[in-house]
Amino acid sequence: MSERGEAGAAKRSGKAASKATRAVRGRGEAGAAKRGGKAAAKYPFPFFGAGLASYFEWGSLYVWFEEPPPRAARAGLVRAIPEPFRRAPEWGSFVLYAGSGDQFINLHICMAYAALGDPQQIDPDDDDESFGFGVGQPFPNLRQSRAFEADLRAWLLALHRRHPIAFVARREDSEAGGTQLDAWHRWSLGRFAEVVLARWQAHHRKPPHRLADWALRVALGLALDSPIAEQVPAAAKAWYDRAG
């Protein structure tokens, strides 16, 4: 991201945390206070797409903060991202994008967690003789995938303690078979209206940054492919479909 673009984002981050955004945060805090209890303690923010993810080519997620972290803190926050997702960080208004930066997310996971064994074996009939170098390959073994997932969660929870997170969104990779969505994702769906829809209403006509637009689209896509799909307003669905 250019210095000029980052400076623009920094300007927007403080004063430009708009009245609409502040209202969104207020409604979210009120809802969280009502819910309270064990679930809120276990899941301190919604993570849409939480679970054991499989990747084919790309891997990434979006972190939407309640308030943008100070510019001076951002380099340190990036250094804490688990290595496979530390390759293409980008900041935009309320959002941090973390991802592989290329089509070799599985290779990066295998290399980062090489101590946990060799890559997953593939069926020789499916081998195109580019194993280890072809797009999508090699594939992490189960221990490597679980370790990466655990590190992502630990990073997000530590990040939230320093800079409160509104929500996280990670799309499912259908080419890789999707994500084994878990209880955190299911709990998050119950927060969709107050957390994501409220921000969509505040920002979709004029997103503060393209990353905010993309984060909303990923979260909306996960909701539309879930049991709460009927809760997505027609206008939001039409907006999502136009981008597709």
Side-chain angles (χ1 to χ4, degrees):
M1 186 175 182
S2 69
E3 258 184 50
R4 181 178 299 176
E6 202 168 304
K11 274 188 182 177
R12 287 190 292 272
S13 69
K15 292 182 180 178
S18 64
K19 290 182 181 178
T21 300
R22 294 184 188 281
V24 166
R25 185 180 61 179
R27 289 197 295 273
E29 287 173 353
K34 282 184 182 179
R35 279 183 306 278
K38 293 182 179 179
K42 188 175 182 181
Y43 308 121
F45 54 85
F47 183 174
F48 301 95
L52 184 60
S54 296
Y55 306 98
F56 179 62
E57 295 180 354
W58 306 88
S60 64
L61 55 72
Y62 297 87
V63 182
W64 189 305
F65 295 94
E66 294 285 3
E67 294 289 348
R71 184 176 175 183
R74 295 182 181 185
L77 299 180
V78 164
R79 285 194 294 270
I81 301 172
E83 198 279 337
F85 271 13
R86 198 190 309 146
R87 295 171 168 269
E90 187 175 356
W91 296 90
S93 186
F94 296 88
V95 179
L96 166 62
Y97 170 85
S100 60
D102 59 24
Q103 294 172 284
F104 299 94
I105 178 57
N106 290 316
L107 176 61
H108 301 316
I109 296 172
C110 289
M111 292 176 66
Y113 299 92
L116 297 180
D118 294 329
Q120 181 183 29
Q121 296 299 312
I122 63 171
D123 188 327
D125 292 337
D126 295 333
D127 191 357
D128 62 359
E129 298 185 354
S130 62
F131 184 69
F133 303 96
V135 169
Q137 299 178 10
F139 299 103
N141 65 44
L142 185 57
R143 291 180 66 201
Q144 291 170 328
S145 293
R146 284 176 172 168
F148 178 46
E149 193 66 44
D151 284 350
L152 278 178
R153 289 173 180 237
W155 163 62
L156 288 169
L157 292 171
L159 182 59
H160 178 69
R161 288 192 289 270
R162 296 179 63 184
H163 302 281
I165 293 172
F167 72 90
V168 175
R170 174 179 59 185
R171 76 176 185 88
E172 286 195 79
D173 190 334
S174 58
E175 285 186 290
T179 299
Q180 296 176 29
L181 298 168
D182 64 12
W184 194 350
H185 170 78
R186 292 189 291 274
W187 174 84
S188 301
L189 292 176
R191 305 282 312 280
F192 177 77
E194 72 183 68
V195 174
V196 176
L197 278 186
R199 285 172 171 79
W200 176 80
Q201 290 163 351
H203 296 299
H204 76 281
R205 289 187 179 86
K206 191 176 181 181
H209 190 275
R210 59 186 170 78
L211 292 182
D213 183 275
W214 296 351
L216 290 170
R217 292 186 189 283
V218 170
L220 270 169
L222 287 160
L224 287 166
D225 192 27
S226 81
I228 69 160
E230 61 185 20
Q231 297 179 27
V232 179
K237 185 178 185 303
W239 176 84
Y240 176 82
D241 288 341
R242 281 197 298 273

